[in-house]
């Protein structure tokens, strides 16, 4: 497994991480047994970075990781664990954001208990609360780092300008953002700002929620999953248009003798040494295809051929609908 530093000041972690939202029921029913099988494979393949959150399955993802660590003495040393907080519910049960110091520390303590550890290696602000300056949030996270409860800090879905403001207070080890061959807006400032400031860019949904694989979701499958059912890219006629375009990419991967998912990961890794993809899957066979991407070295000609079949802006539909855009910062 290739290794990459978690930002300029961080430890070396695997170039490919694992997105443990798949340990919740977001893309289909997850089981503890199946989740443990994925973690077994992660250890076998040298995947060290595991990314979870307090809200993934309302703690289920963290609990599955915790039960695995409890059942496998020594496994904690094999993993670099990231979790998040900042998404909450108001008195009426509506989604809201809480970036208060009390919320971050209370949720961290709950996460540590579910995980069965005394610290996490990376702690993110999952979503920003608009009326609290990011400088204050950075100070809150850095205070937890000073206490030893977290080793590194980060933000999810923030703008490059917000990263600069945060970095003026304390070093930001990682920023998490959706980034893939079908979602390339981070190239309009975030990729560059992270590199300049020594911040890792942790890329979630690097295979486009399954579209950039050999088994993309059909309209029937998308209709059965709440998030995909309402996501513009998976709705008619966008989905059908996207699947038609993606035939060329899958054909290119087949010509190269590689899984489409592997080619997607290899392309992303080629965009910068500070980029760390964190795909998720509930299936070990698919996980192996993702790991294969770290074993590929794409030439300039390979990258040009990929750009030819999937040029910037090819994807039909926005990456989020109006409700899903509640929280991420738009900057271009």
């Amino acid at each position: 497994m290739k290794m990459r530093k978690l930002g300029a000041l961080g430890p070396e972690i695997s170039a490919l991480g694992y997105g443990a939202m798949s340990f919740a029921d977001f893309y289909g029913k997850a089981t503890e047994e199946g989740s443990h099988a994925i973690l077994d494979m992660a250890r076998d393949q040298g995947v060290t970075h595991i990314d979870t959150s307090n809200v993934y399955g309302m703690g289920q993802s963290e609990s599955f990781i915790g039960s695995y660590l409890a059942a496998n003495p020594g496994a904690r040393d094999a993993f670099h664990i990231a979790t998040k907080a900042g998404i909450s519910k108001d008195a009426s049960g509506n989604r809201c954001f809480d970036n208060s110091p009390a919320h971050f520390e209370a949720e961290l303590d709950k996460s540590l208990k579910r995980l069965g550890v005394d610290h996490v290696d990376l702690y993110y602000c999952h979503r920003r609360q608009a009326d609290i300056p990011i400088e204050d949030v950075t100070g809150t996270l850095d205070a937890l780092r000073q206490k030893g409860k977290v080793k590194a800090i980060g933000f999810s879905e923030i703008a490059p300008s917000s990263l600069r403001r945060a970095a003026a207070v304390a070093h930001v080890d990682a920023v998490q953002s959706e980034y893939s061959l079908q979602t390339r807006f981070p190239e309009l400032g975030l990729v560059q700002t992270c590199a300049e400031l020594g911040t890792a860019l942790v890329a979630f949904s690097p295979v486009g929620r399954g579209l950039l694989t050999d088994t993309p979701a059909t309209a029937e499958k998308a209709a059965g999953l709440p998030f995909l059912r309402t996501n513009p890219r998976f709705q008619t006629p966008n989905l059908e248009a996207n699947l038609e375009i993606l035939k060329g990419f899958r054909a290119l991967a087949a010509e190269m003798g590689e899984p489409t998912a592997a080619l997607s990961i290899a392309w992303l890794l080629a965009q910068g040494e500070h980029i760390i993809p964190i795909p998720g899957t509930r299936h070990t066979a698919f996980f192996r295809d993702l790991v294969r991407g770290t074993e590929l070295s794409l030439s300039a000609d390979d990258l040009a051929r990929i750009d030819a079949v999937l040029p910037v802006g090819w994807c039909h539909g926005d990456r989020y609908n109006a409700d899903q855009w509640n929280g991420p910062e738009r900057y271009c």
Side-chain angles (χ1 to χ4, degrees):
M1 173 57 63
K2 295 175 183 176
M3 306 296 282
R4 292 190 165 182
K5 288 195 70 175
L6 184 76
L9 305 181
E12 285 200 332
I13 62 175
S14 54
L16 184 82
Y18 177 78
M21 180 182 278
S22 294
F23 290 171
D25 299 332
F26 197 76
Y27 292 114
K29 181 64 178 175
T31 66
E32 186 172 43
E33 180 182 12
S35 300
H36 286 192
I38 290 288
L39 292 171
D40 276 336
M41 175 168 271
R43 292 176 71 190
D44 289 343
Q45 297 293 322
V47 175
T48 64
H49 182 64
I50 308 297
D51 180 280
T52 185
S53 171
N54 64 331
V55 296
Y56 292 169
M58 301 311 295
Q60 176 174 293
S61 176
E62 291 178 331
S63 294
F64 283 178
I65 296 169
S67 63
Y68 181 86
L69 297 179
N72 293 272
R76 174 66 181 99
D77 293 336
F79 290 132
H80 180 272
I81 298 174
T83 194
K84 317 175 194 72
I87 298 176
S88 189
K89 291 185 182 296
D90 63 21
S92 300
N94 299 311
R95 174 185 167 101
C96 67
F97 309 111
D98 188 343
N99 288 182
S100 66
H103 175 83
F104 275 117
E105 186 154 21
E107 290 303 313
L108 175 59
D109 288 342
K110 294 174 188 175
S111 293
L112 295 176
K113 184 175 181 179
R114 285 190 290 265
L115 290 163
V117 300
D118 61 3
H119 73 275
V120 292
D121 301 294
L122 173 60
Y123 196 45
Y124 288 102
C125 170
H126 204 163
R127 292 290 187 271
R128 282 196 60 196
Q129 182 179 341
D131 59 348
I132 296 183
I134 197 168
E135 291 86 352
D136 293 352
V137 182
T138 306
T140 294
L141 296 176
D142 193 46
L144 294 172
R145 176 162 51 188
Q146 299 303 321
K147 286 185 177 183
K149 289 186 172 184
V150 306
K151 298 299 184 183
I153 62 172
F155 290 86
S156 182
E157 298 265 50
I158 63 168
S161 55
S162 294
L163 173 57
R164 291 187 184 280
R165 289 171 56 193
V169 175
H171 179 67
V172 178
D173 298 277
V175 167
Q176 188 178 95
S177 182
E178 183 173 354
Y179 186 26
S180 73
L181 271 163
Q182 72 179 31
T183 300
R184 297 182 62 171
F185 74 92
E187 294 170 2
L188 297 176
L190 190 62
V191 171
Q192 299 88 338
T193 304
C194 284
E196 176 190 338
L197 297 177
T199 297
L201 176 53
V202 179
F204 70 83
S205 297
V207 293
R209 305 184 192 279
L211 280 180
L212 300 169
T213 72
D214 290 311
T215 55
T218 62
E220 181 180 8
K221 180 179 179 181
L225 296 170
F227 180 88
L228 296 188
R229 182 170 62 244
T230 59
N231 184 272
R233 291 182 175 174
F234 291 85
Q235 294 179 318
T236 298
N238 293 335
L239 178 59
E240 290 76 11
N242 290 332
L243 292 176
E244 183 63 28
I245 295 169
L246 285 164
K247 288 179 181 178
F249 183 53
R250 293 201 300 275
L252 176 59
E255 180 185 334
M256 296 173 69
E258 299 294 345
T260 300
L263 193 56
S264 303
I265 294 296
W267 177 89
L268 196 50
L269 290 170
Q271 305 312 302
E273 286 295 320
H274 63 302
I275 296 169
I276 301 167
I278 53 166
T281 179
R282 293 174 293 121
H283 307 285
T284 55
F286 293 162
F287 195 17
R288 184 65 190 88
D289 287 349
L290 297 164
V291 172
R292 174 61 182 159
T294 69
E295 300 164 359
L296 304 181
S297 295
L298 300 181
S299 67
D301 182 61
D302 292 331
L303 293 170
R305 294 174 72 194
I306 292 170
D307 278 338
V309 295
L310 293 183
V312 176
W314 67 268
C315 194
H316 289 243
D318 199 351
R319 75 179 184 104
Y320 285 150
N321 65 26
D323 288 340
Q324 292 161 355
W325 268 117
N326 180 21
E329 293 187 345
R330 300 196 194 202
Y331 52 89
C332 56

